[in-house]
Amino acid sequence: MPGTPNPLSEMGNLDHVVAAQDERPNPLFETTALPGFKKTVRGRRAIRKFDGEPIPDAVMRDCFGDAILAPNASNLQCYEFYWVRDAQKRTCLSELCLDQPGAVTAGELIVVVSRVDLWQSHLKKMSDIMTDSGRKPFKGPIRDYYEEIVPMLMKTDRLGFHNLKRRLMFWYRGRSTPTVHEPVTRADHRIYGHIQASLAAENLMLSLAAHGYESCPMTGVDKRAISALLGLASTAEVTMVIGAGKGTPEGLLSPRARLPFRELVREV
């Protein structure tokens, strides 16, 4: 219902996620899935003007279900979607998107938020899910990864002790063997969070396209004011706002143009 603080809590998408686990790629996908996938990827365009009609709730919830299946580092899912349905908040949000037509005319507005600050609680929740609340504990490398490596990479503090510890550890290990060299700084963690949020946002937009709807990702927005509008924690960061709905002909501003394949794909 409009105005509900967390409408996604009603999604009931667990069955959606569990069912998808069995749908791994196989040779049959070339004839069953590839044609539709190509249409979806090539049909998705950034639309700047919509007809204003809302997208059916069932479709939106299904698209969010697809979005949370996006790849993400360590399965921590350090992001949130805010499906803005309250009329007053939508008006304010459109203004904070600088009154871009892609926001003002959208049938739906979604704010994509990076939540690196939730990594500990998400790690605990995912561990409970993956181990059946401890009844099937992690073993071997998986245990080491989730109980030692992930906390080592993600922990931070105001004085920067963990940042310095990681910097020295990466430097020392890198002298003798290939190793990662980040995250070290707060900036590294911020980049990490926006990457995870963007991966999920792409899944959302592709799912909207597959359902026959269009979208417009917007990053040129007043992110600080949007955070205040949504009552976000000071440690949360807005990644983008997505307008979605049925696009109008004038919403497509130009033919699709991309740099040549050879300039973007390097074979080495």
Side-chain angles (χ1 to χ4, degrees):
M1 294 294 291
T4 303
N6 185 12
L8 301 189
S9 64
E10 302 174 3
M11 284 178 60
N13 55 21
L14 182 59
D15 291 340
H16 180 114
V17 174
V18 172
Q21 293 175 352
D22 297 327
E23 299 173 10
R24 297 174 63 183
N26 62 69
L28 293 178
F29 273 33
E30 185 173 3
T31 56
T32 61
L34 184 59
F37 174 76
K38 291 287 190 182
K39 287 183 179 179
T40 297
V41 171
R42 294 174 179 176
R44 188 218 59 79
R45 299 292 306 277
I47 299 298
R48 266 69 179 191
K49 190 173 183 180
F50 303 91
D51 66 5
E53 290 298 313
I55 298 174
D57 283 7
V59 172
M60 285 299 299
R61 295 178 191 281
D62 192 59
C63 291
F64 282 121
D66 288 335
I68 65 175
L69 293 176
N72 64 98
S74 304
N75 207 20
L76 295 180
Q77 295 179 268
C78 289
Y79 59 82
E80 291 177 331
F81 291 108
Y82 284 77
W83 182 10
V84 182
R85 312 187 72 186
D86 177 81
Q88 185 174 357
K89 283 188 171 64
R90 280 177 56 90
T91 299
C92 291
L93 180 56
S94 295
E95 294 174 357
L96 297 177
C97 290
L98 312 186
D99 287 324
Q100 296 180 59
V104 175
T105 65
E108 306 293 344
L109 286 173
I110 303 100
V111 182
V112 185
V113 179
S114 168
R115 294 305 307 265
V116 184
D117 57 312
L118 297 180
W119 75 266
Q120 284 180 298
S121 62
H122 283 199
L123 175 60
K124 175 64 168 62
K125 292 174 183 177
M126 288 307 305
S127 296
D128 287 345
I129 292 171
M130 296 168 70
T131 64
D132 191 17
S133 298
R135 286 184 281 272
K136 299 177 182 178
F138 291 131
K139 296 181 180 179
I142 296 179
R143 178 193 60 205
D144 295 341
Y145 183 76
Y146 280 105
E147 295 182 2
E148 297 181 17
I149 295 177
V150 171
M152 180 274 294
L153 290 173
M154 299 304 296
K155 278 184 179 179
T156 188
D157 61 274
R158 291 186 177 182
L159 298 178
F161 171 77
H162 288 287
N163 295 350
L164 178 61
K165 179 180 177 181
R166 280 192 293 270
R167 189 188 300 274
L168 292 173
M169 181 169 53
F170 294 157
W171 171 80
Y172 182 78
R173 190 173 188 275
R175 297 174 63 195
S176 59
T177 185
T179 188
V180 300
H181 291 276
E182 59 186 42
V184 171
T185 66
R186 163 68 176 154
D188 292 336
H189 281 111
R190 291 184 64 207
I191 292 170
Y192 160 90
H194 288 300
I195 289 173
Q196 313 314 311
S198 295
L199 288 169
E202 175 70 2
N203 258 34
L204 175 63
M205 290 184 283
L206 288 175
S207 185
L208 284 164
H211 280 84
Y213 292 92
E214 295 174 293
S215 59
C216 180
M218 295 168 280
T219 56
V221 300
D222 189 335
K223 295 181 178 180
R224 291 185 180 180
I226 291 173
S227 294
L229 174 68
L230 299 178
L232 300 182
S234 60
T235 45
E237 294 190 10
V238 173
T239 298
M240 69 181 75
V241 178
I242 298 175
K246 284 288 187 182
T248 63
E250 57 269 31
L252 191 59
L253 300 186
S254 64
R256 171 176 278 148
R258 291 292 189 272
L259 292 173
F261 182 93
R262 65 181 178 276
E263 292 191 23
L264 299 176
V265 180
R266 306 293 185 183
E267 298 185 25
V268 297

